[in-house]
């Protein structure tokens, strides 16, 4: 049976769109039951155009994080998802909320974690003079951008890169990384045990690398 996904987002929704295109072209055996946003994100329009349920839980209409998260949890509970994908979801979730979904909530983050948690990752990689930048897909744990990393995509930094250009060059890799990682997660027994990722009961020693362990079309693992 197809995996049931919920996507949470705050913005453009290109990572959502990449997942949906992978589903439509049968590269990912899943179904996105709903897209939930914390603000009037442009990506909600993309989801609507695909005939997917959209839910807006506007943070500004809630007096505090607890009431926002209560509304979010209620909306999510209606869908009983196998996986919750944070795809450009820019809100920090409380430890209590995250723990309810431990082991089945993942996030895509635009850096080679553990480097550059938080914001402005492209500018920070450039300012540090890094030779490489990239993106990571990780399990969401209470520590912000600190959960075990499942997979990464790497990108050589070029001498004329600026933050915007670097972000733009990274984005297509993010799309491939997220779809390939979801293909893996929906076809392999993946679990999280005390911060250790197990793939078919084997500990994952290091993040899977796009182009080496994962391809852009699905799982390239042996
Ligand atoms: C992506 O670059 C994603 O990695 C980043 O937001 C962008 C969303 O783009 N996420 C974070 O920074 C999370 N900390 P999209 O809305 O076009 O998918």
């Amino acid at each position: 049976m197809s995996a049931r996904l919920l996507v949470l987002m705050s913005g453009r929704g290109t990572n959502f769109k990449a997942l949906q295109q992978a589903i439509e072209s049968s590269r990912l055996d899943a179904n996105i039951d709903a897209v939930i946003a914390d603000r009037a994100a442009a990506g909600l329009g993309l989801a609507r155009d695909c005939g997917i349920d959209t839910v807006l839980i506007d943070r500004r209409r809630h007096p505090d994080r607890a009431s926002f998260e209560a509304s979010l949890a209620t909306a999510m509970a209606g869908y009983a998802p196998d996986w919750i994908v944070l795809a450009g979801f820019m809100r920090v979730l409380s430890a209590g909320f995250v723990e309810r979904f431990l082991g089945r909530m993942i996030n895509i983050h635009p850096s080679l974690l553990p480097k550059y948690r938080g914001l402005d990752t492209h500018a920070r990689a450039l300012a540090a003079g890094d030779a490489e930048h990239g993106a990571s897909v990780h399990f969401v744990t209470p520590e912000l951008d600190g959960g075990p990393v499942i997979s990464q995509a790497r990108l050589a930094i070029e001498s004329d890169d600026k933050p915007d250009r670097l972000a733009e060059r990274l984005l297509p890799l993010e799309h491939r990384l997220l779809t390939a990682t979801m293909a893996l997660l929906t076809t392999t027994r993946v679990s999280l045990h005390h911060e250790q990722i197990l793939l078919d009961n084997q500990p994952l020693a290091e993040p899977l690398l796009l182009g080496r362990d994962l391809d852009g079309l699905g799982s390239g693992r042996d």
Side-chain angles (χ1 to χ4, degrees), residues 11-16 87-90 107-110 118 145 171 174:
R12 294 169 304 192
T14 68
N15 275 288
F16 149 73
F89 186 70
M90 302 308 283
N107 178 46
I108 181 155
H109 182 76
D145 298 328
L171 196 60
E174 289 193 37

Side-chain angles (χ1 to χ4, degrees), residues 22-181:
I23 290 169
E24 285 171 9
S25 59
S26 304
R27 287 176 287 131
L28 175 59
D29 183 15
N31 190 60
I32 299 175
D33 286 348
V35 171
I36 303 179
D38 64 317
R39 62 186 76 159
L44 287 177
L46 291 181
R48 253 178 251 120
D49 291 346
C50 298
I52 294 173
D53 277 8
T54 59
V55 185
L56 171 59
I57 309 288
D58 194 336
R59 171 62 179 89
R60 289 172 314 172
R61 291 182 177 275
H62 293 78
D64 50 32
R65 183 162 75 175
S67 66
F68 166 73
E69 289 185 346
S71 297
L72 185 57
T74 302
M76 291 167 67
Y79 291 98
D82 297 309
W83 291 98
I84 298 143
V85 183
L86 308 190
F89 186 70
M90 302 308 283
R91 207 153 280 289
V92 177
L93 296 165
S94 70
F97 186 90
V98 165
E99 269 155 13
R100 291 161 69 172
F101 302 102
L102 210 57
R104 58 195 182 99
M105 184 185 277
I106 62 156
N107 178 46
I108 181 155
H109 182 76
S111 80
L112 292 172
L113 291 171
K115 280 186 160 184
Y116 315 127
R117 298 176 182 184
L119 299 174
D120 301 323
T121 57
H122 314 296
R124 287 157 69 199
L126 289 170
D130 290 356
E132 257 191 336
H133 187 46
S136 306
V137 174
H138 65 93
F139 279 106
V140 177
T141 64
E143 197 182 340
L144 180 67
D145 298 328
V149 177
I150 305 162
S151 60
Q152 292 184 317
R154 293 175 176 271
L155 176 68
I157 290 182
E158 295 175 354
S159 56
D160 53 350
D161 269 330
K162 299 281 181 288
D164 284 356
R165 180 172 186 267
L166 188 54
E168 196 179 307
R169 292 201 305 114
L170 182 61
L171 196 60
L173 286 181
E174 289 193 37
H175 298 161
R176 287 176 53 206
L177 179 69
L178 186 59
T179 51
T181 304

Side-chain angles (χ1 to χ4, degrees), residues 3 19 27-30 83 106 137 139 149-152 176-191 197-200 204 206-210 213-222:
L19 285 175
R27 287 176 287 131
L28 175 59
D29 183 15
W83 291 98
I106 62 156
V137 174
F139 279 106
V149 177
I150 305 162
S151 60
Q152 292 184 317
R176 287 176 53 206
L177 179 69
L178 186 59
T179 51
T181 304
M182 284 316 303
L184 174 82
L185 296 183
T186 53
T187 53
T188 309
R189 271 183 302 138
V190 182
S191 54
I197 297 171
L198 301 177
L199 291 186
D200 280 337
L204 183 65
E206 56 173 359
L208 299 167
L209 189 60
L210 188 72
D213 312 307
L214 289 172
D215 61 41
L217 303 172
S219 166
R221 297 183 79 241
D222 294 333

